[in-house]
Structures are given as C-alpha cells and as structure tokens.
Amino acid sequence: MSVQNLNTFDPFADEGDPLGSSTQDVGSQQNYIHIRIQQRNGRKTLTTLQGLPKEYDLKKLLKAFKKEFACNGTLVDDEESGQVIQLQGDQRLKISTFLVQEGIPKASIKVHGF
C-alpha cells in the first residue's frame, strides 16, 4: 500500500503559481494603511490606525481626527508598528473616508474588524 505525497499540491498557493514559490516574503505588509478595531470592556471599542507614510505629521492628524469625529485619542509608540493612532469608539469608516478625501488612494487602505 503506497501513501500519496501531498507536497506536490499546495492548496494555499496562488492559481498562477502552481509550485507555490512566491517572490514576496510571507506576511509582507505592502505599505498598506491598516485601520483596526479592538474590543475593550463591555460595549467600548478602540480604533487603531497604523502604517501612515512618514510625510504626515501624526500629532496634527490626531488633532484633526479628534475634532472631526468628536472622540478622544492618543498616539502610542509600538515596537513593531512604529507610531499608532488610537481613537475611542468605532471610527473605521470615518477614518477611511477622511484619508481618501485627503488624497490617499483607497487601494492602499485596509479596514479590518468585525
């Protein structure tokens, strides 16, 4: 009785690449702007924004977010992600429309969450 070797077929490979040898690193971020939501306690949520280009002043952007969305927020230093903007509440759609209006392409913005 022979056992079939399953290494010849990778179900997670792209359709155009039959051997699964991709040229990109696994888990590369592709310079996207990530907007995520985190559950705090009870009904409270926290929206995080990371991956903004270096040419934007994050303190001024945070001040504009706080004034525009009527919520509190802070700037947090993260070891892996650099500086991350945290806002109170679910502000994902508001942040994405704000960034698109400011000239950032919609294809470079990833909105995560439930």
Side-chain angles (χ1 to χ4, degrees):
M1 183 177 208
S2 65
V3 177
Q4 182 182 4
N5 188 1
L6 297 177
N7 290 334
T8 59
F9 177 70
D10 185 10
F12 299 108
D14 291 333
E15 290 181 14
D17 195 3
L19 297 177
S21 59
S22 63
T23 57
Q24 298 174 352
D25 294 334
V26 175
S28 64
Q29 297 297 319
Q30 299 263 342
N31 296 329
Y32 287 123
I33 298 172
H34 295 277
I35 303 172
R36 293 186 173 90
I37 189 168
Q38 295 176 350
Q39 189 73 31
R40 264 185 349 121
N41 48 0
R43 294 177 52 197
K44 307 291 183 180
T45 57
L46 190 70
T47 305
T48 60
L49 172 69
Q50 68 184 31
L52 281 169
K54 299 291 183 192
E55 65 253 14
Y56 293 104
D57 186 12
L58 295 181
K59 288 186 179 181
K60 288 185 180 180
L61 199 58
L62 175 64
K63 189 171 184 178
F65 284 155
K66 288 166 64 173
K67 189 167 187 161
E68 181 78 20
F69 308 148
C71 66
N72 199 7
T74 185
L75 196 59
V76 177
D77 290 325
D78 189 34
E79 295 172 358
E80 296 175 2
S81 306
Q83 288 190 321
V84 177
I85 293 178
Q86 288 184 345
L87 295 173
Q88 287 182 351
D90 187 6
Q91 311 293 341
R92 291 175 295 173
L93 294 177
K94 293 178 183 178
I95 291 174
S96 68
T97 55
F98 185 90
L99 293 176
V100 168
Q101 287 175 354
E102 292 301 316
I104 295 175
K106 191 169 180 68
S108 68
I109 300 173
K110 296 281 185 181
V111 179
H112 306 277
F114 40 76

